[in-house]
């Protein structure tokens, strides 16, 4: 592992203007540099580099980051690869972090598994191309499917001979360790000690991780027998977790980035056929139910996911029940239904690539509305079925994080369901509150949301739950920006910006998961007296999502034109010039907004609460929240009604 000290040396040496300047022609523009964005086509420059902040930002496509992130994006490198690239460029020796014997053993084990898996992929390919059985059975099967030689190479397709221990004998002869062959799922060992190849007599589909290493295999049998399943797959190993990987992601990732969309299909051959036809932004769930990790992997490259469903309606109804996970992971989901009896591969072969591409463009539908249409086909005139449909659709809508999107779906779906919009809102909110409550029960104890405002209330009250009625993201983002850029600065009263902001927020936890993580880290750093260098720690954080969020927040914004001063005689006060006041106001206004949100939820619940004791408690807390809100507004010099 690359040591923290080495990463800091790389950050210190790799000036963003130098790194980016090797790939982009930059021109001086005030304190910043301007050029054409290398990540999307543009004629008017919108790509800004800020030497002072060490950050770049494109106001056209939204890409942002530091020197390391630029190399990752531009060269499609992993984080360690980008670090090594820059270390070599600036002649910085890579210092590996000292690892324990246990950690080294584990790393050696994983590296050994990668080695035997790579060997196996090459073995299967060699047997398919250079053996009589391989050419007659494996290669002929792929040719019958219409796969070209280039496609076979792209996906490393191969063939495992129908022999008891062909791979095992070859591997042992070449010096590979039997234990690693077993752990990689390539061979099995009986109780009597006899060893046999796991994938025998099958065409082979290597499964690659994001960086292109084979980590597992799928094998399809060609001889039909009652005992053999059509497909068998590598079981879970130390380097392969099927719930965290989708088939074809390595081959598709660049095209997904470019087109900002992913097609999601079911099988290996669907991916390969579409890729060969020029539709390269396609991956497969490989017949398994989608998991949050798989969706997060796809969303790393684009939030826009389009599902291709086979034409069989019974299969569609079964499949759509499990796709709410996409909505929950904040994906923009569309769906394409193929004609009855067709799958992506068969329909592509039937109508040709150009007609198939046109069909995809024409038939895309919004997933939630598509799901509702399918469900209504059988249940519209049956009251019991319709009630179940309302609950099903409300569940899907409740998974959507964006409040504006939820509102749009509620309006559309209530019209199609022919029900009052308020009914669907009520059912959706109930499901969201229930989900929040369940998740809260699963969280570790420790850093908790604000006790006085959200947890002290009887937990049976609806308003107690962390249902986000308003969109707090802009305010939370600004709070995090202040902490990142100014956190360690000392104010006139001896406090730091960090201590000022966190004191105002007390134990109020930000809603956004990454912002909340950063807030917690600052709280711990403040307690330990080391909040000064937190910004650099987050810019080079080991978690990519945290690095990306922080780099985006720190990216340069549009500059205030010098014309305001030189031509219009208008003096614009900078943030730095009035840091104490602005930081205080940002934190207080955010807290005020949260208080108002809590008051709104209390008032809504008071309208429907019939239990006297509950009403009494709710009124007591309403009085407490109202008092806290008024005190804040008095300090702010505002009077906010709602």
């Amino acid at each position: 592992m690359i040591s923290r000290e080495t990463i800091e040396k790389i950050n210190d040496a790799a000036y963003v203007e130098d790194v980016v300047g090797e790939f982009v022609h930059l021109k001086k523009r005030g304190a910043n540099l301007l050029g054409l964005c290398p990540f999307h086509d543009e004629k008017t420059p919108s790509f800004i580099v800020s030497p002072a902040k060490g950050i770049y930002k494109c106001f056209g496509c939204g890409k942002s980051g530091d020197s390391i992130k630029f190399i990752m994006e531009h060269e499609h490198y992993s984080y360690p690869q980008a670090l090594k690239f820059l270390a070599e460029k600036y002649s910085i020796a890579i210092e590996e972090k000292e690892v324990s014997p246990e950690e080294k053993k584990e790393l050696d084990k994983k590296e050994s598994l990668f080695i035997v898996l790579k060997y196996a992929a090459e073995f299967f390919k060699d047997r398919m191309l250079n053996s009589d059985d391989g050419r007659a059975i494996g290669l002929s099967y792929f040719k019958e499917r219409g796969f070209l030689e280039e496609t076979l190479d792209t996906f490393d397709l191969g063939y495992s001979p129908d022999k008891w221990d062909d791979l095992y004998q070859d591997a042992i002869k070449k010096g590979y360790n039997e234990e690693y062959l077993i752990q990689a799922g390539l061979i099995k060992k009986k109780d009597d000690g006899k060893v046999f190849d796991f994938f025998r007599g099958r065409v082979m589909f290597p499964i690659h991780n994001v960086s292109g290493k084979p980590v597992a295999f799928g094998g399809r049998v060609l001889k039909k027998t009652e005992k053999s399943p059509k497909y068998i797959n590598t079981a879970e190993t130390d380097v392969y977790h099927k719930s965290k990987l989708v088939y074809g992601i390595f081959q598709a990732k660049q095209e997904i980035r470019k087109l900002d969309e992913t097609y999601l299909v079911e099988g290996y051959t669907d991916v390969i056929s579409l890729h060969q036809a020029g539709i390269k932004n396609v991956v497969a769930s490989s017949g398994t139910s989608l998991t949050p990790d798989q969706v997060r992997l796809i969303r790393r490259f684009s939030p826009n996911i389009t599902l291709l469903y086979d034409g069989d309606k019974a299969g569609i109804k079964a499949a759509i029940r499990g796709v709410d996970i996409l909505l929950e992971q904040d994906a923009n989901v569309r769906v394409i239904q193929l004609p009855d009896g067709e799958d992506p591969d068969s329909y592509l072969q039937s109508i040709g690539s150009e007609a198939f591409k046109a069909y995809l463009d024409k038939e895309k539908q919004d997933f939630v509305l598509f799901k509702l249409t399918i469900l209504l086909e059988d249940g519209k005139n049956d009251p019991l079925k319709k009630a179940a449909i309302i609950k099903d659709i409300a569940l899907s809508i409740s998974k959507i994080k964006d409040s504006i999107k939820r509102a749009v779906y509620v309006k559309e779906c209530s019209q199609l369901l022919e029900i009052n919009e308020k009914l669907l809102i009520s059912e959706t909110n109930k499901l969201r509150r229930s989900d929040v409550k369940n998740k809260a029960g699963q969280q570790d104890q420790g850093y908790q949301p604000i006790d006085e405002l959200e947890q002290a209330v009887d937990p049976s009250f609806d308003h107690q739950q962390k249902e986000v009625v308003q969109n707090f993201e802009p305010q939370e983002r600004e709070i995090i920006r202040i902490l990142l850029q100014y956190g360690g600065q000392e104010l006139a009263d001896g406090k730091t910006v960090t201590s000022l902001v966190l004191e105002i927020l007390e134990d109020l936890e930000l809603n956004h998961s990454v912002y909340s993580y950063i807030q917690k880290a600052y709280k711990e750093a403040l307690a330990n007296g080391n909040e000064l260098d937190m910004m650099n720690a987050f810019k080079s954080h080991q978690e990519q999502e945290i690095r990306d969020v922080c780099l985006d927040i720190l990216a340069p914004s549009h500059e205030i034109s010098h014309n305001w001063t030189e031509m219009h005689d208008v003096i614009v006060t900078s943030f730095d010039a009035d840091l104490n006041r602005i930081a205080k106001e940002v934190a207080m206004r955010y807290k005020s907004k949260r208080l108002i949100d809590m008051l709104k939820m209390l008032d809504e619940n008071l309208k429907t609460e019939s239990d006297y004791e509950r009403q009494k408690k709710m009124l007591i807390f309403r009085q407490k929240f109202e008092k806290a809100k008024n005190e804040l507004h008095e300090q702010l010099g505002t009077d906010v009604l709602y």
Side-chain angles (χ1 to χ4, degrees):
M1 296 174 64
I2 299 176
S3 67
R4 170 62 54 189
E5 291 74 18
T6 301
I7 295 174
E8 290 175 358
K9 287 179 183 177
I10 293 169
N11 272 318
D12 291 342
Y15 292 113
V16 68
E17 62 270 30
D18 294 338
V19 174
V20 175
E22 290 198 3
F23 302 91
V24 180
H25 179 61
L26 299 171
K27 293 183 178 179
K28 188 76 172 172
R29 176 68 62 86
N32 296 329
L33 301 165
L34 184 69
L36 291 172
C37 179
F39 303 117
H40 79 289
D41 295 329
E42 63 175 10
K43 295 181 180 178
T44 304
S46 61
F47 184 82
I48 293 176
V49 175
S50 170
K53 295 180 180 178
I55 300 289
Y56 66 86
K57 169 81 175 182
C58 176
F59 290 95
C61 68
K63 297 276 190 184
S64 63
D66 61 357
S67 299
I68 299 170
K69 182 67 182 294
F70 182 85
I71 295 300
M72 290 174 65
E73 293 277 2
H74 195 276
E75 300 300 297
H76 307 298
Y77 282 168
S78 67
Y79 185 61
Q81 287 174 327
L83 288 171
K84 290 176 181 177
F85 174 91
L86 291 170
E88 183 177 347
K89 173 180 171 64
Y90 292 100
S91 301
I92 297 171
I94 294 288
E95 294 179 8
E96 299 287 341
K97 177 185 172 184
E98 189 68 32
V99 295
S100 67
E102 292 78 14
E103 290 174 323
K104 188 175 188 305
K105 185 178 180 181
E106 190 64 25
L107 290 171
D108 289 344
K109 177 183 175 182
K110 288 185 177 181
E111 189 59 37
S112 297
L113 289 176
F114 283 129
I115 290 170
V116 299
L117 287 160
K118 182 181 179 183
Y119 152 77
E122 293 170 349
F123 171 85
F124 294 138
K125 184 186 289 189
D126 177 74
R127 286 295 191 265
M128 180 180 71
L129 298 175
N130 299 314
S131 71
D132 293 339
D133 285 349
R135 288 190 294 267
I137 301 173
L139 188 58
S140 64
Y141 167 79
F142 287 129
K143 285 188 174 181
E144 285 172 11
R145 300 298 300 246
F147 297 159
L148 304 175
E149 185 176 330
E150 180 183 354
T151 303
L152 301 181
D153 286 339
T154 298
F155 290 91
D156 288 334
L157 303 179
Y159 174 72
S160 179
D162 193 9
K163 298 178 181 179
W164 192 253
D165 59 358
D166 193 31
L167 179 142
Y168 173 70
Q169 293 294 344
D170 187 78
I172 295 301
K173 189 184 298 182
K174 292 179 178 176
Y176 292 97
N177 186 293
E178 179 182 297
E179 186 59 33
Y180 290 128
L181 293 169
I182 294 173
Q183 290 180 22
L186 296 168
I187 64 173
K188 299 289 181 182
K189 198 170 191 177
K190 292 184 175 182
D191 293 338
D192 62 6
K194 289 185 179 179
V195 176
F196 61 93
D197 294 350
F198 181 61
F199 299 99
R200 299 187 310 280
R202 294 174 181 270
V203 287
M204 300 299 295
F205 300 85
I207 300 168
H208 301 84
N209 64 13
V210 178
S211 61
K213 293 181 178 180
V215 293
F217 295 92
R220 185 192 192 281
V221 71
L222 299 180
K223 293 180 181 179
K224 294 182 179 179
T225 65
E226 293 183 2
K227 294 182 179 180
S228 298
K230 185 176 180 180
Y231 279 97
I232 59 174
N233 300 281
T234 302
E236 295 266 315
T237 70
D238 285 348
V239 296
Y240 173 58
H241 305 283
K242 63 182 179 181
S243 65
K244 297 184 178 181
L245 197 60
V246 290
Y247 180 74
I249 189 67
F250 170 67
Q251 291 84 357
K253 61 181 182 180
Q254 286 190 341
E255 199 74 1
I256 292 172
R257 279 199 194 102
K258 178 181 175 183
L259 301 177
D260 195 20
E261 181 181 25
T262 304
Y263 286 110
L264 182 60
V265 297
E266 186 176 347
Y268 303 133
T269 55
D270 292 330
V271 170
I272 298 167
S273 291
L274 267 61
H275 186 100
Q276 182 170 279
I279 305 164
K280 298 180 179 181
N281 53 325
V282 57
V283 299
S285 58
S286 303
T288 61
S289 298
L290 276 174
T291 68
D293 284 327
Q294 288 174 325
V295 179
R296 282 192 285 269
L297 173 61
I298 298 171
R299 283 196 80 259
R300 281 172 52 186
F301 305 100
S302 172
N304 304 310
I305 300 174
T306 300
L307 309 171
L308 268 65
Y309 279 127
D310 297 355
D312 176 61
K313 289 189 177 180
I316 290 173
K317 288 179 182 178
I320 60 177
R321 295 190 186 104
V323 184
D324 285 348
I325 193 70
L326 287 161
L327 301 174
E328 194 170 27
Q329 295 301 318
D330 210 21
N332 302 319
V333 190
R334 291 182 290 182
V335 60
I336 296 171
Q337 183 180 356
L338 298 173
D340 196 16
E342 299 281 6
D343 58 41
D345 182 28
S346 67
Y347 195 50
L348 171 63
Q349 304 307 326
S350 172
I351 65 173
S353 61
E354 293 306 315
F356 187 81
K357 291 176 185 176
Y359 184 88
L360 296 184
D361 291 336
K362 179 183 176 185
E363 297 296 325
K364 286 177 187 174
Q365 304 174 58
D366 176 85
F367 170 72
V368 175
L369 300 180
F370 170 79
K371 176 179 179 176
L372 178 55
T373 303
I374 293 294
L375 295 177
L376 282 175
E377 287 180 0
D378 294 334
K380 188 173 184 179
N381 299 317
D382 184 326
L384 291 177
K385 286 185 177 179
K386 187 172 181 179
I389 291 169
I390 292 171
K391 288 182 179 294
D392 199 340
I393 289 300
L395 180 62
S396 290
I397 296 174
S398 73
K399 302 295 184 183
I400 300 169
K401 295 180 180 178
D402 187 276
S403 58
I404 295 175
K405 283 185 187 177
R406 285 202 311 274
V408 171
Y409 279 120
V410 164
K411 188 176 184 64
E412 292 277 346
C413 291
S414 62
Q415 291 174 357
L416 290 171
L417 286 164
E418 298 175 346
I419 61 171
N420 189 300
E421 191 174 324
K422 290 183 179 178
L423 174 64
L424 194 54
I425 291 172
S426 175
E427 184 66 22
T428 300
N429 285 342
K430 183 170 73 175
L431 289 164
R432 282 178 61 77
R433 287 192 292 268
S434 176
D435 186 49
V436 169
K437 186 175 181 180
N438 290 336
K439 288 178 178 176
Q442 296 168 6
Q443 290 176 349
D444 294 334
Q445 296 300 310
Y447 186 70
Q448 299 295 323
I450 183 166
D451 292 336
E452 187 67 19
L453 301 183
E454 290 178 354
Q455 287 195 322
V457 187
D458 184 332
S460 62
F461 294 157
D462 286 344
H463 69 270
Q464 182 270 346
Q465 306 302 335
K466 285 188 67 182
E467 166 69 15
V468 183
V469 175
Q470 301 187 52
N471 177 20
F472 297 113
E473 198 276 338
Q475 288 82 13
E476 294 188 353
R477 180 185 175 90
E478 183 63 9
I479 287 168
I480 295 302
R481 187 181 75 83
I482 290 170
L483 290 176
L484 289 171
Q485 286 193 235
Y486 305 100
Q489 283 192 217
E490 190 169 318
L491 302 172
D493 58 3
K495 292 181 180 178
T496 62
V497 173
T498 299
S499 62
L500 171 68
V501 170
L502 294 183
E503 180 182 302
I504 293 169
L505 297 181
E506 297 176 319
D507 289 325
L508 185 64
E509 181 179 332
L510 304 184
N511 283 306
H512 189 287
S513 60
V514 175
Y515 300 164
S516 174
Y517 175 87
I518 295 170
Q519 177 195 21
K520 180 180 178 182
Y522 266 99
K523 187 175 182 181
E524 293 173 352
L526 180 64
N528 297 325
N530 61 349
E531 77 267 29
L532 284 171
D533 199 34
M534 292 296 289
M535 180 180 74
N536 288 331
F538 283 118
K539 283 169 63 178
S540 57
H541 197 277
Q542 61 182 1
E543 291 293 331
Q544 182 172 332
E545 183 182 10
I546 293 171
R547 290 200 308 271
D548 289 350
V549 167
C550 292
L551 290 169
D552 184 60
I553 288 174
L554 291 167
S557 57
H558 290 297
E559 290 185 296
I560 298 172
S561 172
H562 63 275
N563 291 334
W564 285 96
T565 301
E566 294 181 6
M567 297 177 63
H568 305 298
D569 197 27
V570 175
I571 306 299
V572 181
T573 303
S574 71
F575 193 106
D576 302 60
D578 207 358
L579 183 56
N580 185 45
R581 179 184 63 82
I582 295 176
K584 187 175 182 179
E585 282 194 13
V586 167
M588 290 173 68
R589 288 183 185 279
Y590 171 75
K591 186 173 182 178
S592 169
K593 191 172 181 182
R594 289 286 292 271
L595 279 165
I596 291 171
D597 192 57
M598 291 297 297
L599 284 164
K600 285 182 178 179
M601 285 193 283
L602 268 170
D603 288 346
E604 286 297 314
N605 281 273
L606 279 165
K607 291 177 184 177
T608 57
E609 184 57 66
S610 57
D611 184 274
Y612 173 74
E613 288 301 322
R614 288 172 180 255
Q615 284 182 340
K616 186 177 176 181
K617 285 186 179 182
M618 291 166 74
L619 287 168
I620 290 171
F621 280 104
R622 194 196 185 288
Q623 188 177 29
K624 188 179 294 187
F625 298 164
E626 183 73 31
K627 181 182 178 183
K629 182 204 75 171
N630 291 338
E631 287 175 353
L632 272 175
H633 292 170
E634 186 177 342
Q635 293 180 62
L636 288 165
T638 60
D639 185 16
V640 180
L641 302 176
Y642 65 93

